[in-house]
């Protein structure tokens, strides 16, 4: 979104006003990100209700995950990749925003790497586990970027889910290609 403000007279920049406008823009951006991630969150809840490591390779579930145009990554707390769908593989192959280093998700931008690590830790870290997700923007190279929604995979009714390991589903999509 673009916000433009006009005045009929020439004025010097007002730092306080610019800060307020910047804050409003950031808040509007967050609202838009939350709206975009609602469908992804519903998909993550559906996946987490049916998912366990013994069935991740089932043909039906894998075909469903591969049908998504959004990159789907299942990771442990350290960002080690347990599974990724075809869209995620394509994102990694381009290498403009996300890569794999030592079996872990590794955004190419250092700030994005820190942001994603914090989001994963927030949803599946020690202490109180969130039941909702966190949506973050990941910058890349050549003006590339992805919107990532990090969701905890909850055990639901299956107490043996992931053998007690905390895991996350990460949905990544190019904001330009979003429906």
């Amino acid at each position: 979104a673009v916000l433009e403000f006009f005045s009929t007279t020439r004025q010097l920049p007002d730092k306080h006003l610019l800060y307020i406008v910047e804050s409003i823009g950031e808040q509007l951006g967050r609202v838009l990100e939350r709206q975009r991630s609602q469908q992804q969150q519903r998909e993550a809840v559906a996946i987490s209700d049916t998912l366990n490591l013994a069935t991740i390779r089932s043909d039906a579930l894998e075909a469903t995950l591969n049908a998504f145009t959004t990159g789907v990554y299942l990771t442990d707390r350290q960002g080690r990749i347990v599974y990724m769908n075809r869209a995620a593989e394509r994102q990694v192959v381009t290498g403009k925003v996300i890569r794999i280093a030592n079996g872990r998700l590794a955004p190419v931008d250092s700030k994005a790497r820190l942001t994603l690590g914090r989001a994963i830790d927030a949803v599946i870290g020690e202490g109180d586990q969130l039941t909702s997700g966190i949506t973050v923007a990941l910058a890349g190279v050549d003006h590339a970027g992805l919107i990532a929604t990090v969701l905890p995979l909850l055990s639901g009714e299956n107490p043996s889910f992931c053998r007690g390991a905390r895991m996350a589903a990460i949905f990544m999509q190019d904001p330009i290609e979003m429906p």
Side-chain angles (χ1 to χ4, degrees), residues 75-76 78-81 98-107:
T75 70
D76 66 9
Q78 288 76 34
R80 283 187 294 256
I81 298 169
I98 194 87
R99 294 183 181 147
I100 298 174
N102 297 321
R104 291 178 168 79
L105 287 175

Side-chain angles (χ1 to χ4, degrees), residues 46-48 50-68 74 83 85:
I47 291 170
S48 68
T50 60
L51 180 69
N52 68 46
L53 290 179
T55 62
I56 189 67
R57 294 291 178 198
S58 75
D59 292 339
L61 180 57
E62 193 160 2
T64 300
L65 292 174
N66 283 327
F68 291 165
L74 303 181
Y83 174 83
N85 69 350

Side-chain angles (χ1 to χ4, degrees), residues 155-178:
S155 61
E157 296 178 10
N158 185 356
S160 65
F161 176 76
C162 301
R163 297 182 189 93
R166 294 180 175 192
M167 295 183 64
I170 303 170
F171 295 85
M172 290 192 201
Q173 185 157 7
D174 185 337
I176 295 172
E177 296 175 8
M178 293 177 93

Side-chain angles (χ1 to χ4, degrees), residues 26-37:
E26 287 177 7
Q27 293 300 320
L28 286 173
R30 289 183 183 139
V31 168
L32 291 173
E33 286 177 5
R34 284 187 198 113
Q35 289 174 345
R36 289 177 181 161
S37 72

Side-chain angles (χ1 to χ4, degrees), residues 81-102:
I81 298 169
V82 176
Y83 174 83
M84 60 187 205
N85 69 350
R86 286 190 188 124
E89 291 171 359
R90 286 189 299 274
Q91 290 170 351
V92 169
V93 167
T94 67
K96 290 186 175 186
V97 181
I98 194 87
R99 294 183 181 147
I100 298 174
N102 297 321

Side-chain angles (χ1 to χ4, degrees), residues 75-78 114-136 150-154 166-168 170:
T75 70
D76 66 9
R77 182 177 174 191
Q78 288 76 34
L114 184 61
T115 299
L116 182 61
R118 286 181 177 164
I120 291 171
D121 194 54
V123 298
I124 60 174
E126 295 299 325
D128 293 335
Q129 188 173 2
L130 294 178
T131 56
S132 62
I134 295 175
T135 299
V136 296
V150 182
L151 300 158
L153 289 178
L154 306 174
R166 294 180 175 192
M167 295 183 64
I170 303 170

